[in-house]
Amino acid sequence: MGVTIKEVAKAAGVAPSTVSRVIADHPRISPATKKRVKKAMKEMGYHPNANARNLANRSTQSLGVVMPSSADKALQNPFFPEVLRGISAVAHELDYSILLCTGETDEQMLEAVERMVYSNRTDGIILLYSQVNDPIMAFLIEQNFPFVVVGKPSERVDEITHVDNDNVRAGKEITNHLIEIGHECIAFIGGSTDRIVTIDRMKGYESALEEAGLPYLDEYRIHTEFLKSGGRQAVHELFSLPQPPTGLVIADDLMSIGVVNMLEELGMHVPEDISIVSFNNVYLSEITRPPLTTVDIHIHGLGSQAAKCLIEKVKNKEEPAKRIIVPFDIKYRSSTQEKEAPTEVLNYPPNNGHD
């Protein structure tokens, strides 16, 4: 085994990413640090591997795939394995391998991506999320490194190749389904509002309510990193409101399954007491009880399109930015039912012949 970057970093008293940057001759590293690192490399007999040096004209035949931070949670969500299946199908066909990039915090993620780029381990990168003010995206733009986003970038939309669904329209159509079957008090439960997909789906929900002349109250919108912690409390508060909702729009299927369980703990049943609609159509949504009415966003297609776009970009740096919108459709299952009209008779003032 040769000497590793980590060992050089330790000897020089710097971070491994600093060693990678020295190898790549990065302008931001001070001459003193460069000198110290090069000295350590020389003394330890470290040689950057050949493909790192003449990569200007060579390809690693691998694509980096960046998960959202705290990948342990992300990988529990069937969306990610499915989007990876789509990416792999295309990568395999075109002889590319995949490097998965994960980390617990945004800082760790950025470091991992910097290492990937500086040590030339990959030809291009797919970001499996889009968030507001993403340092990773900013870094890739600054490096002019080929990348593609699954989702909609929060800024510079026309300059960044991305593959997305029309999440605003999807949010609107799925909310309209609840309105059409008679629901008037409809709440929205979503993940973090840093994520563009949550923001877009919520915009669609709001626009459906607005067009129908229905209230969208602040109390009806709940955002939490919903997997475990805040969920139960949030659901409890929602149903303690003076006018609790009869319909819920939930930002993804995994969250919906969690909510169904919480509702059952509160003694409420779906769809008898509350109707639920959801997004993503992951395989669990069909086998859960009740099966979920959900927006099928064609996750596999999002992955395969992203891989195709990235490989085009890798092969031709001049490839213009593209926006690819993957169509969606709604799977109607049994998590919703018609809202009974209120039984009390409304006493209209008598019409005294005045129209």
Side-chain angles (χ1 to χ4, degrees):
M1 270 298 282
V3 182
T4 66
I5 282 189
K6 277 201 172 126
E7 289 163 336
V8 173
K10 201 172 169 188
V14 296
S17 54
T18 305
V19 177
S20 303
R21 286 173 197 168
V22 170
I23 295 166
D25 204 23
H26 194 268
R28 283 208 203 137
I29 305 287
S30 73
T33 304
K34 277 187 183 166
K35 202 169 160 185
R36 193 160 84 239
V37 170
K38 286 185 173 156
K39 183 168 177 270
M41 279 160 56
K42 199 170 166 190
E43 283 171 0
M44 298 172 79
Y46 176 80
H47 301 289
N49 54 5
N51 77 344
R53 273 202 306 270
N54 55 12
L55 229 133
N57 49 15
R58 276 184 49 186
S59 155
T60 61
Q61 290 297 113
S62 73
L63 307 176
V65 175
V66 181
M67 302 287 291
S69 56
S70 69
D72 57 332
K73 288 225 177 52
L75 281 166
Q76 292 170 15
N77 190 327
F79 171 87
F80 292 102
E82 183 62 9
V83 82
L84 285 169
R85 239 169 42 87
I87 293 168
S88 307
V90 170
H92 182 74
E93 209 173 293
L94 297 170
D95 267 351
Y96 281 79
S97 56
I98 289 176
L99 287 177
L100 204 53
C101 179
T102 60
E104 284 303 298
T105 63
D106 288 355
E107 289 71 47
Q108 282 182 7
M109 296 297 290
L110 180 58
E111 265 180 36
V113 171
E114 285 179 347
R115 278 203 302 275
M116 257 187 185
V117 170
Y118 289 135
S119 60
N120 299 306
R121 276 187 228 159
T122 174
D123 293 345
I125 282 179
I126 298 177
L127 299 179
L128 290 189
Y129 64 91
S130 171
Q131 69 185 30
V132 183
N133 304 329
D134 182 17
I136 291 177
M137 203 181 288
F139 166 75
L140 293 170
I141 291 170
E142 177 206 332
Q143 294 293 316
N144 196 15
F145 194 78
F147 75 99
V148 167
V149 176
V150 173
K152 185 174 80 185
S154 63
E155 56 229 332
R156 304 172 74 161
V157 175
D158 299 329
E159 300 165 44
I160 295 171
T161 293
H162 58 284
V163 179
D164 196 17
N165 309 100
D166 184 341
N167 279 300
V168 177
R169 216 183 93 219
K172 189 171 175 180
E173 286 189 18
I174 196 85
T175 306
N176 275 337
H177 172 59
L178 288 175
I179 294 170
E180 280 154 15
I181 59 175
H183 293 273
E184 293 182 352
C185 300
I186 300 170
F188 180 91
I189 297 180
S192 156
T193 46
D194 288 345
R195 291 277 150 85
I196 307 299
V197 60
T198 304
I199 297 171
D200 277 358
R201 288 171 180 178
M202 188 167 79
K203 274 184 192 153
Y205 151 83
E206 289 176 354
S207 118
L209 293 179
E210 206 168 314
E211 275 183 25
L214 296 173
Y216 54 97
L217 313 171
D218 279 348
E219 305 84 75
Y220 277 3
R221 277 172 301 192
I222 295 182
H223 290 284
T224 116
E225 285 308 339
F226 212 76
L227 279 172
K228 291 279 181 290
S229 52
R232 197 161 277 114
Q233 183 59 28
V235 167
H236 192 73
E237 280 168 24
L238 198 52
F239 289 98
S240 313
L241 290 172
Q243 177 111 54
T246 62
L248 292 180
V249 178
I250 304 179
D252 85 72
D253 293 337
L254 194 63
M255 223 178 254
S256 297
I257 292 167
V259 171
V260 170
N261 290 338
M262 288 169 204
L263 289 168
E264 295 203 328
E265 283 177 24
L266 296 171
M268 298 175 76
H269 298 289
V270 178
E272 295 79 8
D273 302 318
I274 179 111
S275 286
I276 285 182
V277 295
S278 185
F279 293 84
N280 293 2
N281 193 34
V282 301
Y283 62 87
L284 284 174
S285 63
E286 212 170 339
I287 55 178
T288 182
R289 288 284 155 264
L292 298 174
T293 289
T294 183
V295 177
D296 184 355
I297 58 171
H298 302 285
I299 303 170
H300 189 280
L302 288 168
S304 59
Q305 290 288 350
K308 278 181 193 151
C309 286
L310 183 59
I311 291 169
E312 280 169 13
K313 254 182 131 49
V314 162
K315 292 193 165 153
N316 171 18
K317 283 275 205 268
E318 302 310 304
E319 187 69 38
K322 289 194 198 59
R323 166 185 308 158
I324 293 191
I325 301 294
V326 172
F328 65 84
D329 51 87
I330 295 177
K331 300 286 182 219
Y332 296 98
R333 301 195 183 107
S334 30
S335 60
T336 61
Q337 75 177 27
E338 279 199 39
K339 175 86 181 79
E340 306 283 310
T343 44
E344 75 267 22
V345 178
L346 295 174
N347 294 315
Y348 289 108
N351 179 350
N352 300 326
H354 302 298
D355 271 335

